[in-house]
Amino acid sequence: MFSMNHQKFMEMDELSLQKVPYFFIVDFLGENVEIYKENEIKKSGLLIDFQSFSNTKEKHDLHKKLEWKAFPETLESFKKGFDKVQKNIHFGNSYLVNYTRKTEVQTNLSLEEIFYHSIAKYKVFYKDFFVFFSPETFVKIIDSKISTYPMKGTIDASLENAAEVLKNDKKEKAEHYTVVDLLRNDLSMVADHVKVDQFQQIDLIRTRQKDLYAMSSEISGTIKPEFKRKIGSIMKKLLPAGSILGAPKPKTLEIILDAEGYDRGYYTGVCGWFDGENLDSCVMIRYIEKEEDRLYFKSGGGITHMSRLEDEYQEMKNKIYVPIH
């Protein structure tokens, strides 16, 4: 289905079997995989700030006021791909498609400054090429337990009873159920006794522009003996991440490549830190990339048969923000 980089995933297996700590980055299609052992991170120019690992130096010049302008495409332009997605859903080729767009943004901050200014669970700055500030965990492995935390469904937190509205919104709920089901199936490929531990938890994400509520669930299982300590093999099985692709995976990928008409690259890929024992990884969303001298923010959302064009367009635009207090 994907021309994945098998060699690199095998290399990841070897390192994790030898309990060597390393950081890895995998792009959306699993073609580009980069691995940095702990002693190589410094030379790589990567800045990483995870809950479980950080190599950042405190930067004190955080008083620069963020100037921020986004230039989203028109509704008509957004509609072209949206219609392709809806047609495929209508034909039964997919029941959830994560449709994303690329929006030019202008800011007075460099990518590195955005890294230091933003507040998020996972942040990475990559060699003046991209920066992301992601709220979404992909998988965590602690001892032989593997957990995943799909995040699907967001709402403007300033709306009346926003959290309740999000929890009970038919479209958002259907989308969340689908992703939970998809990831439960995905996890079953590498783990036994897979179960949903928490369902539809509501998290608050604060940003300078607006606060958002996001809905997430927790699914866990016990790693199958043949996948024990094989981080590369586990990733190869689970990628691309279901929450940013849709279901069923192979067909949905074809739809996405046709409808989006741009290359996601590292956006919606995953990266992770293996400390020699355990793994923490995230989905690379809330992502800004530099192309020549322009900056592009990539964002999107899940489309189901219940999706309304205007709502999806608005959601894509809502997500173009930097989480700065």
Side-chain angles (χ1 to χ4, degrees):
M1 171 161 92
F2 315 104
S3 52
M4 284 202 167
N5 194 328
H6 303 294
Q7 192 57 46
K8 287 283 192 181
F9 287 115
M10 276 165 63
E11 214 176 296
M12 283 167 66
D13 277 353
E14 271 164 43
L15 290 173
S16 45
L17 284 163
Q18 292 163 16
K19 302 189 177 187
V20 176
Y22 64 91
F23 185 77
F24 66 88
I25 303 179
V26 184
D27 69 357
F28 171 53
L29 295 176
E31 295 167 342
N32 293 298
V33 181
E34 299 202 14
I35 303 165
Y36 300 91
K37 287 183 218 155
E38 196 167 7
N39 59 347
E40 297 167 346
I41 293 173
K42 209 177 169 134
K43 297 195 296 278
S44 71
L46 274 169
L47 292 177
I48 302 159
D49 190 6
F50 276 27
Q51 290 166 313
S52 54
F53 175 78
S54 177
N55 72 337
T56 60
K57 315 164 285 303
E58 266 315 303
K59 282 266 172 122
H60 299 293
D61 181 25
L62 292 185
H63 304 297
K64 219 170 171 182
K65 196 164 158 35
L66 171 72
E67 289 166 23
W68 180 258
K69 251 195 186 144
F71 302 90
E73 67 184 329
T74 60
L75 182 67
E76 288 68 35
S77 164
F78 180 86
K79 184 177 184 294
K80 284 184 194 129
F82 178 86
D83 286 348
K84 283 182 176 178
V85 168
Q86 281 293 20
K87 200 163 89 179
N88 275 285
I89 289 174
H90 186 71
F91 286 149
N93 295 332
S94 177
Y95 42 95
L96 172 66
V97 178
N98 202 70
Y99 175 53
T100 74
R101 313 304 298 143
K102 180 173 147 180
T103 301
E104 188 177 348
V105 291
Q106 286 174 2
T107 174
N108 58 327
L109 301 183
S110 67
L111 291 185
E112 187 174 357
E113 285 172 327
I114 289 172
F115 172 86
Y116 280 109
H117 276 72
S118 56
I119 295 156
K121 207 169 173 180
Y122 300 95
K123 299 194 298 182
V124 171
F125 163 73
Y126 181 94
K127 309 175 188 169
D128 212 31
F129 169 37
F130 67 74
V131 65
F132 71 80
F133 27 90
S134 176
E136 184 170 356
T137 303
F138 179 46
V139 294
K140 280 186 177 176
I141 298 175
I142 296 171
D143 299 328
S144 53
K145 183 184 175 188
I146 183 167
S147 309
T148 185
Y149 305 83
M151 197 177 255
K152 257 288 163 263
T154 50
I155 193 170
D156 184 337
S158 66
L159 299 173
E160 205 177 326
N161 305 326
E164 277 310 298
V165 171
L166 176 60
K167 250 189 162 151
N168 297 308
D169 182 295
K170 248 168 81 173
K171 184 253 164 182
E172 298 285 8
K173 214 152 110 178
E175 202 181 310
H176 198 80
Y177 272 95
T178 301
V179 166
V180 167
D181 198 42
L182 170 67
L183 283 168
R184 198 173 52 192
N185 287 336
D186 276 2
L187 223 50
S188 301
M189 297 191 289
V190 298
D192 297 317
H193 317 298
V194 173
K195 59 187 197 306
V196 179
D197 302 308
Q198 270 187 330
F199 187 61
Q200 283 193 306
Q201 186 183 315
I202 303 291
D203 310 298
L204 179 65
I205 299 171
R206 292 191 177 282
T207 85
R208 172 69 62 82
Q209 287 88 340
K210 57 171 76 178
D211 290 349
L212 299 173
Y213 280 119
M215 191 156 48
S216 67
S217 291
E218 180 184 345
I219 307 162
S220 71
T222 310
I223 291 176
K224 291 177 193 270
E226 64 269 32
F227 284 102
K228 214 144 188 195
R229 293 209 162 275
K230 292 190 170 175
I231 303 292
S233 296
I234 290 170
M235 287 296 149
K236 206 170 99 181
K237 268 277 188 242
L238 298 179
L239 291 175
S243 64
I244 47 73
L245 181 60
K249 274 183 163 179
K251 188 64 197 166
T252 303
L253 181 69
E254 280 176 37
I255 298 165
I256 281 174
L257 295 176
D258 177 45
E260 292 184 344
Y262 82 94
D263 185 2
R264 283 194 190 184
Y266 283 94
Y267 168 57
T268 67
V270 304
C271 66
W273 167 247
F274 174 72
D275 66 5
E277 288 292 335
N278 301 318
L279 170 78
D280 187 10
S281 66
C282 70
V283 183
M284 298 193 277
I285 56 172
R286 313 293 188 264
Y287 172 104
I288 304 172
E289 188 175 300
K290 195 173 196 172
E291 257 183 59
E292 287 158 3
D293 54 357
R294 293 180 171 201
L295 296 180
Y296 293 93
F297 197 111
K298 296 178 178 179
S299 67
I303 310 281
T304 68
H305 69 97
M306 288 186 267
S307 295
R308 289 182 46 227
L309 172 68
E310 287 77 8
D311 295 347
E312 295 303 334
Y313 179 61
Q314 192 53 50
E315 183 177 344
M316 180 274 291
K317 292 197 294 183
N318 278 350
K319 287 178 179 164
I320 304 169
Y321 68 82
V322 180
I324 293 174
H325 290 305

